[in-house]
Amino acid sequence: VLSTPSNVAWLSGGISPRIDRSAPRDSIWFVVTDANVTLISNAVEIPRLIAEDEKQIERFSVVEVPWYGTYWEAVLDILPAGKHHIGADYLGGAGVDIADDLIAMRLALTPFAQGQLHQLGRAATSALEDTLKSWKPGELDLEIQARLCYELEVRGIEPVVVIVGGDDRPKQFRHPVAIGAHVKEYLMAVVVAKRHGLHVAATRFVASHSLSGEQKQAFEELGRIQADVAARAKVGASYGNLYETLAGSYARFGHRGAWKEHFQGGPIGYEQREFEISPEDVTSPWFLEGVELGQAIAFNPSYRGGFKVEDTYLLGTFGPKRVTDSGDWPMMIFDDDFPVAGVLEI
């Protein structure tokens, strides 16, 4: 029984946008048995789904419940008499918790979902970078944030995480959320973007002046840390290996333990991070989870003082490919040929 937005999108290929973006349960549920896949939804949504997603809906049996009814009653009615061995991602009614099993199953994206991720990556990056290119020093961070949300929404993309801050605030805080402050010299924008149930993450910086040598060095070091992790992300490695590589790269540049100061990211897909562990979480089952083709990663190493890099990569036969790429932004390219977004100086 699948009821969370991430699992519903995974099974259906992102069949329908959520109605309540904050709801932990989707308005669509699926019941998967050996014999059939049944879609359950309420009487408000079923007519729209049939009218606007007919080709996708016809793949499933459809059960309609009243808006005041309970989905779990429909689930139990669907199951064969006497068969109640249920695995569920939400135990509001019955069953065994299989949420982690489902995460492991959906980490490797299908070819169809990989295509959707590439399209999302290009569209979301274009929205993010177009917003920053249009920044006029002195604008309010709230104005910039509103424009970024517009650029995402007009592309059919849901802004899951949006952080916009400038000047001294990114130097003081890892999450300098917009507060109505004027941004005159240095702007950071972070986005996690969602479409068809899939997510990509990216961070970009723009400056109204040339960066100092110290600033350029900090970004280059973070870019190399990002590239080190990407180079390690290949079949045969575990996610523990990726986080250990991350910690080792921080240490290599004289910032041992700096990963403790901020979230470091991890595999991304039908959640904004499918799981997130630290280099010290050696007892976590995710530490030994193997890296596979078709998985996506978004790590975001950062230093104090307003320095961070973040992009989303899809792991393919020839290595990680950056999907948050517009083709029109300053890049840092390293010996191992893993591109990392740089800073736009205007």
Side-chain angles (χ1 to χ4, degrees):
V1 179
L2 308 184
S3 65
T4 64
S6 53
N7 287 325
V8 167
W10 168 60
L11 186 143
S12 68
I15 197 169
S16 174
R18 288 186 295 163
I19 304 304
D20 180 352
R21 293 182 176 184
S22 66
R25 308 273 80 76
D26 208 293
S27 60
I28 297 170
W29 287 25
F30 285 103
V31 180
V32 182
T33 68
D34 291 339
N36 198 16
V37 179
T38 301
L39 180 154
I40 304 173
S41 193
N42 61 65
V44 178
E45 303 308 325
I46 288 291
R48 175 181 58 83
L49 291 168
I50 292 175
E52 297 181 351
D53 292 293
E54 182 178 3
K55 289 186 177 180
Q56 296 189 62
I57 292 294
E58 66 185 11
R59 297 178 295 165
F60 312 111
S61 300
V62 176
V63 171
E64 180 180 300
V65 298
W67 66 264
Y68 51 85
T70 67
Y71 283 35
W72 271 111
E73 289 180 3
V75 169
L76 297 177
D77 286 341
I78 290 166
L79 295 175
K83 183 177 180 180
H84 297 293
H85 300 292
I86 302 172
D89 58 8
Y90 164 58
L91 298 184
V96 176
D97 184 352
I98 59 168
D100 284 352
D101 303 87
L102 292 167
I103 292 172
M105 290 174 67
R106 69 178 189 237
L107 281 175
L109 304 177
T110 65
F112 176 74
Q114 291 178 42
Q116 288 182 317
L117 191 79
H118 275 290
Q119 293 171 6
L120 170 60
R122 287 192 295 270
T125 306
S126 173
L128 175 61
E129 294 177 358
D130 286 354
T131 300
L132 268 64
K133 289 175 187 175
S134 67
W135 166 56
K136 295 178 175 58
E139 278 189 291
L140 293 175
D141 51 17
L142 286 171
E143 294 172 332
I144 302 163
Q145 178 173 277
R147 192 161 64 249
L148 173 54
C149 290
Y150 168 81
E151 293 292 346
L152 291 165
E153 294 278 7
V154 79
R155 291 167 168 84
I157 298 171
E158 179 181 340
V160 175
V161 175
V162 175
I163 300 173
V164 174
D167 296 342
D168 288 337
R169 297 189 67 246
K171 300 174 184 179
Q172 296 175 300
F173 313 114
R174 286 319 214 285
H175 295 158
V177 294
I179 58 171
H182 293 276
V183 181
K184 300 177 181 178
E185 297 182 351
Y186 189 63
L187 171 63
M188 179 181 83
V190 180
V191 66
V192 177
K194 179 179 181 180
R195 190 169 67 185
H196 301 309
L198 289 162
H199 299 74
V200 296
T203 296
R204 296 292 184 268
F205 286 85
V206 61
S208 63
H209 56 80
S210 296
L211 298 183
S212 68
E214 182 180 353
Q215 289 173 316
K216 291 179 179 178
Q217 180 179 340
F219 276 110
E220 181 175 323
E221 289 179 3
L222 290 169
R224 290 186 179 277
I225 294 172
Q226 181 81 294
D228 286 347
V229 176
R232 191 71 177 92
K234 58 184 64 176
V235 176
S238 69
Y239 276 94
N241 297 147
L242 269 60
Y243 284 93
E244 289 171 337
T245 298
L246 181 83
S249 296
Y250 271 109
R252 178 160 67 98
F253 292 111
H255 292 265
R256 184 179 300 276
W259 57 264
K260 297 180 180 180
E261 298 171 4
H262 186 249
F263 306 107
Q264 295 299 307
I268 192 169
Y270 288 100
E271 290 286 354
Q272 64 99 3
R273 294 301 190 277
E274 293 286 15
F275 61 81
E276 195 164 17
I277 58 175
S278 84
E280 295 182 348
D281 288 334
V282 296
T283 60
S284 167
W286 299 120
F287 203 84
L288 299 178
E289 182 73 25
V291 174
E292 297 180 17
L293 298 180
Q295 296 178 350
I297 57 171
F299 285 84
N300 53 307
S302 64
Y303 286 168
R304 292 180 185 175
F307 308 103
K308 188 175 88 145
V309 298
E310 183 177 26
D311 273 301
T312 300
Y313 299 81
L314 182 63
L315 310 184
T317 305
F318 300 103
K321 181 174 177 58
R322 182 169 164 266
V323 300
T324 43
D325 183 9
S326 70
D328 189 26
W329 193 262
M331 300 301 301
M332 298 181 286
I333 308 293
F334 304 108
D335 295 338
D336 41 21
D337 198 31
F338 291 116
V340 180
V343 179
L344 176 66
E345 299 174 359
I346 60 174

